[in-house]
Amino acid sequence: MASVSVRQVRKQFGSTPILHGVDVEIADGEFVVLVGPSGCGKSTLLRMIAGLENITGGEIAIGGRVVNTVPPKDRDIAMVFQNYALYPHMTVRDNMAFSMMLAKAPAEVIEREVRQAARILGLDVLLDRYPRQLSGGQRQRVAMGRAIVRHPQVFLFDEPLSNLDAKLRVQMRSEIRELQQRLATTTVYVTHDQIEAMTMADQIVVMNGGRIEQAGAPLELYDRPGNVFVAGFIGSPAMNLLQGEVADGGFRCQGGAVLPLPPHAPRSVTTYGIRPEHLLLAEDGIGATIVIVEPTGSETQVGLRIGDTPLTGAFRERVSGRPGDTLRVLPDLSLVHLFGPDGQRI
């Protein structure tokens, strides 16, 4: 196991900058998720940690050793790819053992490590099958098993669940997190799915445009997003972010609605944020027109409009209204997020 330090790392492809001086500190045994929209640089950063991409500037250290010029095979890392990267002509056993065979480990050691990893991952009865005979989830477990047998200092995962169906993704993310906790191996995990990030990470690093917007514990980012981008990216359904100004005794949105402000809110507020689940049904609330009702079982998501201002609400109560009906809502003022002209939290 080892810590990973990324210090002022830059990356350019030709004259095009991809990463702009990124700093990340990953503690020994920590599970860190790099998350952000497509093209934000998260996979490039992961590949630079792995040694699959060269660094334009800055420094990457694993276990205190700077690895900028160290080949991937000598970094003591194991990477699990999005497409599993299994050898189709090899059995599960041989796929898992391949790196150890290359290292010329004794046959009895290879067999012991493969069987131990297979037991952990529930692959005992599949060792003699070929990848074509496996489901997507089983192939993913084989790719993880191939990483485990090496006992690396760091696991690297590049969107490993994106090819699986929704139910299997939920199952596999629990299995990956449980496995990481059992092995206590430092893990860097890339995804564009913020639900994966929230449920798996010790630390989330939110990236955008080759820069880090915010890093911290999942609930820290959820409860206190540092800027408008993080506020809109973390949370599902997404936070309502309304543009406007402080006026008329509240916050007057560009769409015309006037929403109440917390006490002592500064006049510099230009963006008003309220999560859908923090809109409350209240008889003395603001009249909002129902646009669409989407029951999900555990809650009901409702598209609303106050004047020309659109809002999304998520209510534990069953909402039986129809489009065009009026629903009275109030934001929970203790959970409102306010941002200034520069997009930063106030």
Side-chain angles (χ1 to χ4, degrees):
M1 295 182 291
S3 61
V4 177
S5 297
V6 177
R7 306 172 188 133
Q8 281 297 297
V9 165
R10 293 180 292 107
K11 177 65 178 178
Q12 287 186 205
F13 288 119
S15 60
T16 304
I18 304 299
L19 295 177
H20 310 269
V22 170
D23 288 291
V24 183
E25 289 295 329
I26 301 170
D28 188 4
E30 191 174 26
F31 194 120
V32 171
V33 177
L34 308 179
V35 68
S38 296
C40 71
K42 56 189 184 297
S43 288
T44 299
L45 178 56
L46 189 80
R47 291 173 63 83
M48 291 166 76
I49 295 172
L52 302 176
E53 293 282 357
N54 293 325
I55 297 173
T56 303
E59 191 174 85
I60 293 177
I62 297 176
R65 178 178 66 139
V66 176
V67 295
N68 288 25
T69 59
V70 175
K73 65 184 180 64
D74 297 327
R75 294 193 181 197
D76 200 9
I77 55 95
M79 191 159 178
V80 178
F81 295 91
Q82 179 178 353
N83 63 357
Y84 319 135
L86 301 179
Y87 296 106
H89 62 288
M90 291 185 180
T91 63
V92 167
R93 175 184 278 101
D94 290 342
N95 265 285
M96 291 173 63
F98 187 66
S99 62
M100 296 186 72
M101 289 191 290
L102 284 181
K104 295 183 168 44
E108 62 273 14
V109 173
I110 294 175
E111 182 66 16
R112 183 181 70 241
E113 294 294 341
V114 167
R115 287 201 170 277
Q116 183 178 349
R119 271 198 308 275
I120 291 172
L121 295 165
L123 296 172
D124 312 62
V125 298
L126 303 177
L127 288 174
D128 295 320
R129 293 191 188 181
Y130 291 88
R132 65 179 178 274
Q133 299 171 306
L134 305 177
S135 68
Q138 289 168 339
R139 291 178 193 176
Q140 186 57 268
R141 287 191 185 93
V142 175
M144 290 163 57
R146 184 174 55 191
I148 289 170
V149 297
R150 296 177 55 188
H151 297 289
Q153 290 192 88
V154 181
F155 286 136
L156 304 176
F157 288 88
D158 190 7
E159 303 206 39
L161 306 184
S162 58
N163 291 337
L164 305 180
D165 63 62
K167 184 175 181 180
L168 191 53
R169 276 203 306 273
V170 173
Q171 177 187 336
M172 286 300 299
R173 76 187 185 209
S174 297
E175 290 185 10
I176 290 174
R177 185 60 173 129
E178 182 183 354
L179 176 67
Q180 190 272 340
Q181 289 173 336
R182 185 189 308 181
L183 300 176
T185 303
T186 307
T187 300
V188 187
Y189 185 106
V190 162
T191 181
H192 63 274
D193 185 335
Q194 51 92 23
I195 296 295
E196 273 183 37
M198 287 290 292
T199 54
M200 299 176 76
D202 296 318
Q203 178 187 180
I204 296 176
V205 177
V206 182
M207 298 185 65
N208 181 35
R211 293 182 171 85
I212 292 176
E213 295 283 353
Q214 190 176 355
L219 290 181
E220 177 187 338
L221 269 60
Y222 180 86
D223 291 336
R224 291 191 59 81
N227 57 43
V228 168
F229 179 83
V230 176
F233 193 83
I234 296 294
S236 181
M239 184 187 292
N240 296 294
L241 293 167
L242 309 171
Q243 307 297 314
E245 61 182 353
V246 177
D248 303 327
F251 184 82
R252 185 172 62 202
C253 305
Q254 290 177 354
V258 178
L259 299 176
L261 281 164
H264 313 300
R267 296 195 62 82
S268 57
V269 176
T270 58
T271 303
Y272 184 106
I274 183 71
R275 294 198 181 279
E277 58 270 34
H278 298 155
L279 275 180
L280 310 175
L281 297 176
E283 292 183 3
D284 59 345
I286 303 165
T289 302
I290 295 176
V291 178
I292 188 171
V293 178
E294 299 178 320
T296 64
S298 61
E299 66 179 19
T300 304
Q301 295 180 21
V302 184
L304 300 167
R305 192 172 291 277
I306 302 174
D308 291 328
T309 302
L311 282 171
T312 300
F315 307 105
R316 301 293 293 183
E317 302 91 336
R318 299 291 173 96
V319 177
S320 57
R322 301 173 61 84
D325 291 351
T326 298
L327 204 62
R328 295 202 166 272
V329 298
L330 275 179
D332 184 337
L333 293 186
S334 67
L335 297 169
V336 166
H337 305 266
L338 305 176
F339 305 92
D342 59 356
Q344 298 300 305
R345 184 183 190 87
I346 294 178

